[in-house]
Amino acid sequence: MPDSFIPTSAELLRILPEIILVLAATLIMVLAPLVKGREQNALGYVSLYGLVAALAAALSGYFDPGPAFHQLILVDGFATYFRVLVIFAGILTTLASYQYLRREDADSGEYYALLLFSVSGQSLMAASNDLIMIFIGLEISSLASYVMAGFLRNRAQAIEAALKYFLLGSFATAFLLYGVAWIYGITGSTYLLTIRSVFERGAQTPGILLAGAAAALIFVGFAFKVAAWPFQSWAPDVYQGAPVPVAAFLSAGPKAAAFAVFVRVFVTALGPIGGRWEPLFWLSALATMLIGNFAALVQTNIKRLLAYSSIAHAGYVLVAMTAHSEIGTAAVMFYMAAYVLMNVGAFAVVAHVCGRQERFVELEDFAGLGERQPVSAALLTVFLLSLIGVPLTAGFFGKFYIFRAALQADLVWLTVLGLLASAVAAYYYLRIIVIMYMHQPAESAAELPPLRGALGAAVWISAAGTLVLGIFPSLILNFAGNSALLAR
Amino acid sequence: MTGVPLSWFLILSAVLFSLGVAGFLIRRSVLTVFMSIELMLNAVNLSFVAFSYQLKQVNGHLFTFFVMVVAAAEAALGLAIILAVFRNRGTLQVDEVNSMKN
């Protein structure tokens, strides 16, 4: 066996976060049959410790950047940023799931194992430097999350969500793969940097016309994962049907990882043929923002409303990608961090209020929450204000950087229409706040336990993060800006 | 590829892929929809092998194995989900598995 077949320790260290996550997941699977029923909740601690260890490993990877496994993996600032982000989303999800699963009397061992497998796939996506590696990471992440969506399989809506997510997800993956095959045929490689150098030679490249078609096929695959037009229709059904903590996870982790590879593939590899895919992104960004925001106006179910809101937010991020500049990439990175914090936070509050069997997920069930649970209501208000983009919250700077990047790339119309769309969004977020503080609680409203424990920690951490990023955005913006230089 | 040009393989692959897409969009039984997805993945495999032969590389051949492994995992998982749906609803018609409001 040639020496190059044996990975060096430096290479193994570069995938240490994934190794830790997979080991922790396997450990949970081994332990799960040994502990009975409700005791399995204790495995949440294993999940939490595994994620924290992986977070530390991902952070330490930043100080030893470089490629691994024949360039399949590339650990740089960009990879580190998104790795930390998806692992952090995993931590928040674990915290938000604990009380929920106990309330539903679910055998939670498999749940945490699947969560860790999914996070490991996303972490791999963030660090991959090759189209095939991206495909494998995407599938590891997706396969686990299909099961998570239907985890409470006796609940009719959950299993329906799993089926829809699975069928449409596999359908979109096939398109992605077909695009990869064509890129491979045109350029003779699946390495992102080689593809870039082939396209940099410009019009002499044979098959440059087909490259546009291949880019469109790859776009289909990624657009599905981030729920962008015209592949957003699965999101409302899946988020509504899936258990609330899973909906929180699906709207955060897979989306952040998908945007990471979206940027890697389109800005790094296909950057030189930017003129060919830019109009596609322009149209998709606009349609995603409009559909998300206008459809959210008429929703009465809060999970469905947050699903449409997450579609709209994917649209804003696509605006920054359309700019395909360094500050555009930095804006994508900053926005994803803000988005993960505020969205998981909002879903976590819903997980607190929804009660057993998710009986209280209509907007009217939030009536009088300001009196019944002043703390929960105040924290949900923080998240909603951030989703609107009010100053002093992370959402404000996120939108600010995105639209500034768009303006610098001369995307004036897209900026104007995007800002109008986000003004529409203020209506449905404010409506929730009005219901919480101005409406009287219904007679049937259940007694809520105080917001405490792991779920409380998830909500408080998200709220603190949302405010800190809103007041000191430079904490991570500088890092994002430096890493965005590398991503080119 | 003695006698058979690359384009024939690519056309065949495109036809198979399109059949898969058409099957996904038209057929109403969950199982047939699922089989259509497998057809699409195999069409992609054909493209990979054809390109790989043309480029005189082994990479493309290797990719098909990755795709097969993933397709197998997807099949195992998909059939489990389909089984759970059938137990829950007693039907495998896509149109009847639609309880959430639009």
Side-chain angles (χ1 to χ4, degrees):
Chain A
M1 197 154 66
D3 283 346
S4 61
F5 274 40
I6 303 162
T8 62
S9 54
E11 285 183 320
L12 289 174
L13 274 178
R14 286 191 186 124
I15 58 159
L16 191 61
E18 288 83 9
I19 294 176
I20 293 174
L21 288 170
V22 171
L23 283 180
T26 315
L27 181 68
I28 290 174
M29 280 167 61
V30 171
L31 291 177
L34 303 177
V35 279
K36 285 274 174 294
R38 289 173 71 101
E39 314 254 309
Q40 286 195 357
N41 274 302
L43 296 172
Y45 289 103
V46 182
S47 167
L48 195 60
Y49 296 145
L51 283 160
V52 171
L55 188 72
L59 282 170
S60 72
Y62 177 66
F63 300 104
D64 178 29
F69 298 101
H70 301 269
Q71 309 273 342
L72 288 173
I73 300 285
L74 180 66
V75 178
D76 54 11
F78 185 82
T80 305
Y81 185 90
F82 275 103
R83 265 178 163 177
V84 169
L85 189 58
V86 296
I87 294 171
F88 195 69
I91 291 176
L92 288 179
T93 311
T94 302
L95 291 173
S97 306
Y98 188 76
Q99 272 135 310
Y100 182 93
L101 291 169
R102 206 172 46 187
R103 197 166 57 207
E104 301 290 333
D105 273 330
D107 291 347
S108 48
E110 297 140 24
Y111 177 90
Y112 291 118
L114 287 165
L115 176 70
L116 290 181
F117 280 131
S118 186
V119 173
S120 77
Q122 290 148 23
S123 175
L124 199 61
M125 280 162 85
S128 49
N129 191 31
D130 178 283
L131 287 173
I132 289 297
M133 207 65 218
I134 288 173
F135 165 70
I136 292 170
L138 188 76
E139 281 297 287
I140 296 173
S141 156
S142 303
L143 288 178
S145 50
Y146 299 151
V147 187
M148 284 174 76
F151 187 74
L152 300 171
R153 62 179 180 277
N154 295 322
R155 200 184 279 170
Q157 288 196 341
I159 195 68
E160 180 180 327
L163 182 72
K164 282 182 177 164
Y165 194 29
F166 168 73
L167 287 178
L168 291 166
S170 317
F171 185 61
T173 310
F175 276 94
L176 169 74
L177 206 56
Y178 201 36
V180 172
W182 275 97
I183 292 283
Y184 173 66
I186 295 163
T187 63
S189 176
T190 50
Y191 293 122
L192 299 183
L193 295 175
T194 316
I195 294 168
R196 183 184 176 87
S197 62
V198 169
F199 284 130
E200 264 168 355
R201 273 182 262 142
Q204 297 94 346
T205 318
I208 192 85
L209 286 172
L210 281 172
L217 286 169
I218 293 181
F219 174 81
V220 172
F222 290 151
F224 174 86
K225 289 294 161 199
V226 301
W229 181 86
F231 308 100
Q232 84 293 353
S233 60
W234 61 274
D237 282 355
V238 172
Y239 288 16
Q240 188 189 345
V244 181
V246 177
F249 178 67
L250 294 182
S251 71
K255 213 164 187 163
F259 268 116
V261 291
F262 221 150
V263 169
R264 279 260 204 232
V265 171
F266 279 90
V267 178
T268 306
L270 304 176
I273 55 166
R276 287 178 192 276
W277 51 258
E278 211 185 276
L280 185 66
F281 275 66
W282 195 97
L283 188 65
S284 178
L286 181 62
T288 310
M289 289 187 295
L290 292 179
I291 288 174
N293 282 326
F294 279 100
L297 288 178
V298 295
Q299 299 306 322
T300 55
N301 179 308
I302 187 136
K303 287 166 82 184
R304 218 174 161 80
L305 186 148
L306 286 174
Y308 279 110
S309 125
S310 98
I311 292 173
H313 286 273
Y316 303 137
V317 182
L318 281 176
V319 171
M321 285 201 59
T322 312
H324 76 100
S325 58
E326 272 144 31
I327 56 164
T329 304
V332 171
M333 294 167 76
F334 184 85
Y335 201 85
M336 283 325 291
Y339 169 80
V340 164
L341 287 168
M342 60 200 185
N343 215 47
V344 174
F347 269 113
V349 176
V350 176
H352 174 62
V353 177
C354 70
R356 197 173 151 77
Q357 304 281 345
E358 294 190 12
R359 279 169 301 166
F360 305 110
V361 286
E362 295 297 312
L363 287 184
E364 283 310 316
D365 295 327
F366 283 74
L369 196 68
E371 285 172 38
R372 290 191 287 153
Q373 290 246 306
V375 178
S376 310
L379 291 168
L380 184 56
T381 306
V382 169
F383 299 128
L384 293 172
L385 290 176
S386 179
L387 287 164
I388 296 172
V390 171
L392 290 184
T393 60
F396 169 75
F397 280 108
K399 281 207 181 67
F400 174 76
Y401 292 125
I402 279 179
F403 289 118
R404 196 184 59 165
L407 276 182
Q408 293 200 355
D410 286 331
L411 299 167
V412 179
W413 275 107
L414 193 56
T415 309
V416 171
L417 293 168
L419 285 172
L420 287 176
S422 65
V424 171
Y427 173 78
Y428 59 83
Y429 294 125
L430 286 174
R431 195 170 53 137
I432 304 176
I433 298 177
V434 167
I435 288 174
M436 283 196 302
Y437 285 100
M438 314 269 180
H439 288 200
Q440 289 302 314
E443 294 291 316
S444 61
E447 277 297 307
L448 279 173
L451 181 66
R452 270 207 237 116
L455 186 61
V459 177
W460 278 105
I461 293 172
S462 310
T466 307
L467 290 174
V468 167
L469 287 189
I471 298 166
F472 308 108
S474 56
L475 279 179
I476 65 168
L477 192 73
N478 293 341
F479 185 84
N482 294 336
S483 315
L485 291 172
L486 295 169
R488 256 182 69 102
Chain B
M1 266 168 260
T2 42
V4 186
L6 174 71
S7 57
W8 290 26
F9 288 96
L10 296 182
I11 289 166
L12 177 62
S13 150
V15 168
L16 285 175
F17 193 84
S18 313
L19 281 175
V21 174
F24 184 92
L25 297 175
I26 293 167
R27 300 307 293 260
R28 298 273 68 107
S29 160
V30 174
L31 276 175
T32 325
V33 167
F34 182 52
M35 280 157 63
S36 305
I37 295 171
E38 295 293 311
L39 185 63
M40 289 163 73
L41 289 178
N42 283 320
V44 175
N45 276 345
L46 183 61
S47 300
F48 266 127
V49 174
F51 279 131
S52 189
Y53 191 91
Q54 178 77 11
L55 293 163
K56 306 264 186 296
Q57 291 179 354
V58 288
N59 299 17
H61 298 303
L62 289 175
F63 298 156
T64 60
F65 287 106
F66 284 118
V67 176
M68 277 186 226
V69 169
V70 167
E74 221 170 59
L77 206 140
L79 290 174
I81 291 178
I82 291 171
L83 198 65
V85 169
F86 185 74
R87 278 193 186 151
N88 200 291
R89 298 288 172 90
T91 179
L92 283 182
Q93 297 299 305
V94 180
D95 304 329
E96 290 170 33
V97 187
N98 195 6
S99 67
M100 280 173 271
K101 60 188 164 185
N102 235 327

